[in-house]
Amino acid sequence: MKGLRRKYYDIFSNFYDKIIALHSKDRSQRLRRYLIEKSGFRPGQYLLDACTGTGSVALEAARFSKGKGVVAGVDFSIGMLSKAVKKASGIGNVFFVLSDVGTLSFKDDTFHVVTCSHAMYELCPQTRQAALSQFRRVLRPGGRFIMMEHTPPSSPVIKFLYQLRILSMGSAGNREFAKDERRELSMFFKDVVLEIVPGGRSKVVYGTKD
Ligand SMILES: C[S@@+](CC[C@H](N)C(=O)[O-])C[C@H]1O[C@@H](n2cnc3c(N)ncnc32)[C@H](O)[C@@H]1O
């Protein structure tokens, strides 16, 4: 099953950035910058971008850090990561690792920040729990995990497609998670907060490691 999903993302990687650009590249870039700023990441620190895809958040973090600190992007799709590596050419403080987010090989207490953009809904509940446990393990005490997702759209057609995305990628557990991520995140992090991003179409949910 995981092999099939990986294949799906390998194929999707050929269109992914084009689809995001169609959606409005400017808006996506602003959202990524918003995520980095909200994460509390500062130049000189270590940031992990989980399910990094073609690396857009990781690269934005590397640019934001002005070459100071280290940014790692992790994804299980070789197709997605090969696009990320190409885009990172000339940026020195970012690297990419091929790995499932449920089984990370980084040492405990490594990162100041873990980000995950538009991917938590696509993990099946079991992988999501394993990933959250890994994010907690690799974060330093006081470090922040932050995820970004779309808010439920109001247009009926887009709403249908949104529900389809959640249903197609997992079980009923995903619908529950998408309704309120705070309950599950609170099992791993303290002070969990959900905020709607200005504009109303996206949200961030974040918490801190004890
Ligand atoms: C919708 S894309 C989001 C990419 C990127 N974070 C962004 O905001 O553009 C979801 C990504 O999650 C990755 N992914 C899904 N399940 C994963 C897993 N179990 N381990 C690692 N990566 C995974 C996929 O390969 C894909 O690149």
Side-chain angles (χ1 to χ4, degrees):
M1 184 63 180
K2 220 163 223 178
L4 262 184
R5 277 185 181 220
R6 207 172 285 156
K7 201 92 216 123
Y8 158 80
Y9 287 114
D10 281 345
I11 295 166
F12 193 27
S13 70
N14 294 304
F15 321 104
Y16 188 73
D17 282 345
K18 288 188 190 90
I19 290 172
I20 300 290
L22 273 180
H23 207 61
S24 160
K25 197 166 192 299
D26 264 13
R27 185 174 162 264
S28 308
Q29 214 52 36
R30 276 202 307 276
L31 283 174
R32 283 166 186 141
R33 178 49 74 109
Y34 183 91
L35 178 66
I36 304 298
E37 287 173 357
K38 261 288 159 197
S39 77
F41 178 58
R42 292 191 302 279
Q45 295 190 331
Y46 285 56
L47 179 145
L48 172 67
D49 184 41
C51 299
T52 194
T54 62
S56 302
V57 170
L59 294 169
E60 188 62 31
R63 280 190 283 268
F64 177 83
S65 73
K66 298 191 168 64
K68 296 188 194 105
V70 178
V71 177
V74 166
D75 204 284
F76 73 172
S77 157
I78 188 88
M80 289 283 188
L81 282 192
S82 58
K83 304 280 185 289
V85 168
K86 270 192 202 137
K87 284 160 69 178
S89 154
I91 304 180
N93 64 327
V94 62
F95 68 97
F96 295 98
V97 178
L98 185 67
S99 168
D100 192 295
V101 283
T103 53
L104 296 176
S105 54
F106 298 105
K107 284 188 182 161
D108 295 0
D109 305 338
T110 300
F111 295 97
H112 298 86
V113 168
V114 176
T115 53
C116 187
S117 149
H118 300 97
M120 289 297 286
Y121 288 2
E122 300 188 7
L123 303 177
C124 67
Q126 204 184 349
T127 306
R128 192 171 64 234
Q129 290 262 328
L132 284 168
S133 163
Q134 289 294 305
F135 300 159
R136 188 190 142 72
R137 183 183 67 72
V138 301
L139 268 173
R140 296 176 182 218
R144 179 171 286 180
F145 167 66
I146 181 163
M147 56 173 280
M148 179 176 263
E149 279 294 346
H150 298 294
T151 50
S154 47
S155 136
V157 178
I158 309 284
K159 195 169 189 163
F160 174 72
L161 293 173
Y162 169 87
Q163 294 295 352
L164 210 60
R165 172 186 172 222
I166 290 168
L167 277 175
S168 67
M169 302 306 295
S171 68
N174 270 0
R175 265 171 292 161
E176 284 310 305
F177 181 68
K179 267 191 214 149
D180 189 355
E181 304 83 349
R182 283 172 294 190
R183 197 181 58 81
E184 197 163 315
L185 259 62
S186 298
M187 295 175 192
F188 300 88
F189 304 103
K190 65 171 187 171
D191 303 332
V192 173
V193 173
L194 185 156
E195 282 176 17
I196 303 298
V197 177
R201 284 157 69 182
S202 301
K203 60 182 164 183
V204 286
V205 193
Y206 55 90
T208 307
K209 174 171 169 177
D210 276 331

